[in-house]
Amino acid sequence: MAAAQGRFSDGADGMDSAKETSVPLPFRRAVDGLKKARLRPGIEIDPTRPPQRLAPHAYALEAAVVEGEEDLADGRLILLHDPAGHEAWHGTFRLVTLVRAELEPEMAADPLLPEVCWSWLTGALEARGLTYGEASGTVTRASSHYFGGLGARRPATQIEIRASWTPREGVGGVPDTAAHLSAWCELLCQIAGLEPLPPADPGVVSLPQRRGPQHP
C-alpha cells in the first residue's frame, strides 16, 4: 500500500521556497507527513501551487472525490508555517481549506445544512483524537436557477466550506499532518455524499493521482 505522493522543487509543486535547504525542518517534516498519508479509495489528489503571501512557508494539495468520470466534490488544503509564530494562529502552523460540492435537492433544502457541514469537519478531527485550536470558517449555500436557452436544466445547489484551524504541534514542533489530511478527506467524502468509513477500515488505500489540475 503506497503512500500519497508529493514532491519538493522550486515551488511549482506547492513548496514556496526556492531551495530545500532554506525550508525549516519542522515544515519539511510536516509536508512529509502529508505525503505519507494513507487514505480511502475514490479520492484523487495532487500537489498544487499555494498562495504566496499568507505565510513564509506554504504547501498545498488539491483533491477530488471521483466516481467514474464525475467529480462529486473537490477542494484544496493548504499547510502554512511561520517559524516565528502568528498571533492569530496561537501557533506556528495553520491549515486552511476550501471544499465544495453540488447537493441533491433533498439535502440542499435542509435548514440545518450549514451546521451539519461544519460538524463534519470538527467531527472528523475529533474522531481521530486530534487537538486543534482557533477554528473558524464559513459554510455557504448557493442556488442556481436556469432560464432561456438553459431552461431545461434543473435547479442546482452548491455548498462551499471555507475553514482554517491550528493543529497541535507534537514532537519537534511538528503537527500530525497525515491525520489532519485524513480527517480533511473524510470531510470531502461526506460532502460528496459518501458514508464515513470505520477508523480501521481495511479498504483504506493510497491516493491515485488526479487526471489534471482542477483548482477550486
Side-chain angles (χ1 to χ4, degrees):
M1 184 164 63
Q5 297 300 305
R7 56 192 186 277
F8 289 95
S9 68
D10 292 345
D13 63 351
M15 184 65 70
D16 72 336
S17 297
K19 297 181 180 298
E20 292 184 29
T21 54
S22 69
V23 180
L25 182 58
F27 182 63
R28 288 181 55 79
R29 288 178 173 171
V31 172
D32 285 343
L34 294 174
K35 296 178 183 181
K36 295 173 182 177
R38 300 171 185 268
L39 304 170
R40 66 186 287 175
I43 302 176
E44 297 185 356
I45 196 166
D46 249 341
T48 187
R49 184 177 295 277
Q52 299 298 305
R53 296 180 176 86
L54 295 181
H57 305 279
Y59 187 83
L61 296 168
E62 60 179 6
V65 179
V66 178
E67 186 176 81
E69 293 299 314
E70 182 182 4
D71 285 5
L72 301 180
D74 63 74
R76 177 181 290 189
L77 183 69
I78 304 168
L79 175 68
L80 304 176
H81 179 55
D82 187 340
H86 194 291
E87 183 178 356
W89 302 353
H90 291 181
T92 63
F93 283 91
R94 187 76 171 170
L95 285 161
V96 181
T97 186
L98 164 66
V99 172
R100 64 187 182 184
E102 187 170 318
L103 301 176
E104 293 297 326
E106 298 80 6
M107 187 176 183
D110 187 343
L112 297 178
L113 180 65
E115 289 81 359
V116 170
C117 289
W118 184 256
S119 73
W120 286 342
L121 171 60
T122 57
L125 294 169
E126 291 161 7
R128 287 158 180 77
L130 293 169
T131 303
Y132 61 94
E134 307 305 319
S136 62
T138 61
V139 178
T140 304
R141 174 170 42 189
S143 298
S144 298
H145 297 264
Y146 300 95
F147 302 93
L150 300 177
R153 295 188 184 182
R154 68 174 187 173
T157 300
Q158 186 180 72
I159 194 76
E160 180 181 276
I161 302 172
R162 293 178 181 268
S164 63
W165 64 96
T166 298
R168 182 181 66 85
E169 297 169 16
V171 177
V174 182
D176 186 353
T177 49
H180 281 272
L181 176 57
S182 177
W184 179 74
C185 285
E186 188 59 45
L187 166 68
L188 199 63
C189 289
Q190 285 191 283
I191 200 173
L194 304 184
E195 292 294 327
L197 287 179
D201 193 283
V204 175
V205 299
S206 60
L207 302 175
Q209 295 298 296
R210 293 192 57 138
R211 296 183 297 278
Q214 298 181 14
H215 299 284

